[in-house]
Amino acid sequence: MHIQKISRSIINRSCFSTSAVNEGTFLDQVMAYFNKASGHTNITQDKLDFYKSTDIVIKFNLPLVRDDGTYICVPAYRAQHKTYRLPTKGGTRLSPHINIEEVEALSFLMTLKNSILDLPYGGAKGGIGINPRKFSKREIETLMRRYTLELAKKNFIGAAIDVPGPDLGTGEQEMSWMKDAYTKFKGHQDINALGCVTGKAINQGGISGRQESTGMGIFFATREILNDVKFCQSVGIEPSLKGKSVIIQGYGNVGSFCAKYMYDYGARIIGVAEHDGSIYNPNGINPYELAAHKTKTGGVKGFVNASKYWEDEQAIYQQCDIFIPAAFEKTVNAGNADKFNCKIIAEGANGPTTMAAEEKLISKGVIFLPDILLNAGGVTVSYLEWLKNLKHINPGRMTRRWEEQAKHRILEVIKMSTGLNINVKDSKLAKKMLEGPSETDLVHTALEQSMIEAVNNIMATSKEYKVNLRLAAYISAINKLNEHFEMAGIEA
């Protein structure tokens, strides 16, 4: 199949509400934030134009014979925003609204996100133009495998080229299909074929902790920002995540895990919006019970511990401390910005807030915790999975037992030097504390450290440039991009 060139003037924009369309496309919004942030740097305009341009984006069509025997042609996309670092990295989504501009915008955000986290990747994004709810498992598998083969034939996938991961509408099953298709096509030529995608099932070369990583990263980043007492005082909010009331839009992997970690830490989940409506309880919602209900019923409707239920998303407009949009782009826009009654918007989704909405809400005193910082947990753990695949060994396999024995030796030294009779054999807690780290332990602690370092960097940039956290995140990423090209140059 040949690669088609697509004019931006014919991009389908019908997936957005009228108010969102009037604010421009998703790509327009990302460009606007980039332009605003770059105004705080001393980088020349010609270089900035190069940094924000997309290196390559492709569209091709996938033929599919449906279960009823009918033939359809499904559009598919992949964008590599910047190939200055290889491989490029970014998710693969299944959405009927995907288009050229969307994958360009999302790949742009991935370049910035990877830069903020100091990950050795350029940014990429892609997907297939279907609503997965309207396709069978067999049909989706066929599309994922054909998508992978077309990327491979175009040299658009591989552990050293471009590494897709899960995104909207995809998970470990879809990534495992992609891995299987690639290894059967190229595995005999690529010893690192397992690293062609991340977010795979554990038994397919995945890593423990990937499923919860984005939600956990949101929790870590939000916790760290709210633990900065001086920052909280400067913006007029009470420090600490503990005791804060939280409303979440979207209760998939990102929203549900974020809710669980915040709940365990001491926050109160009071509202959740999903595709089948929204629920609210000012006394709190147990996120574990809600997750079990959603697994059983497919949504939040009928959850017994909700004091209110709406068929729409009214729950997201109720009063709370923190609102977490963890669903789609541009869900907070000029058309609904005045309805929100929160103090903080912690962005779990990519690009959930338009610039016009942000300006309105900032004028009301709302604080934004930006997406390119907060939801970077997913790509961070994908990086750890990629490293696991390249090393061909599980994290901790060579050191876990040694570390456990080292702890016991230290304990023996303490007993010998103090004369204390310390018996740990009868204590399950003591035994657990003396164990060497599991793969999950290593992943979670690496993610926590990465998010803490990224938050500290953005907070320092915010203070240095006297800007909000979103502009600080963009400025940090832009400066790192510029530093790279200043040293490496632009290839001829």
Side-chain angles (χ1 to χ4, degrees), residues 270 278-285 303-310:
I270 63 171
S278 57
I279 58 173
Y280 176 78
N281 187 336
N283 297 319
I285 294 168
F303 182 61
V304 294
N305 291 325
S307 59
K308 289 185 179 179
Y309 167 77
W310 295 274

Side-chain angles (χ1 to χ4, degrees), residues 333-338 355-366:
N333 53 67
N336 65 2
D338 293 330
M355 183 174 281
E358 183 179 55
E359 290 173 353
K360 278 188 176 184
L361 289 165
I362 286 176
S363 69
K364 293 170 58 176
V366 176

Side-chain angles (χ1 to χ4, degrees), residues 82 93 142 214 251 264 266 293 303 323 337 402 446 451 455 479 488:
K82 276 287 167 280
R93 58 177 47 190
T142 300
T214 305
Y251 210 67
D264 290 341
H293 173 82
F303 182 61
F323 169 57
W402 187 91
M451 296 307 296
V455 166
N479 283 338

Side-chain angles (χ1 to χ4, degrees), residues 244-264:
K244 294 285 193 296
S245 57
V246 180
I247 293 175
I248 299 175
Q249 179 193 44
Y251 210 67
N253 272 351
V254 177
S256 62
F257 278 110
C258 178
K260 291 172 184 176
Y261 289 117
M262 288 189 172
Y263 173 85
D264 290 341

Side-chain angles (χ1 to χ4, degrees), residues 8 39 57 134 185 250 255 310 355 369 450 454:
R8 285 191 181 144
V57 56
K134 297 181 179 181
F185 182 70
W310 295 274
M355 183 174 281
L369 311 187
S450 297

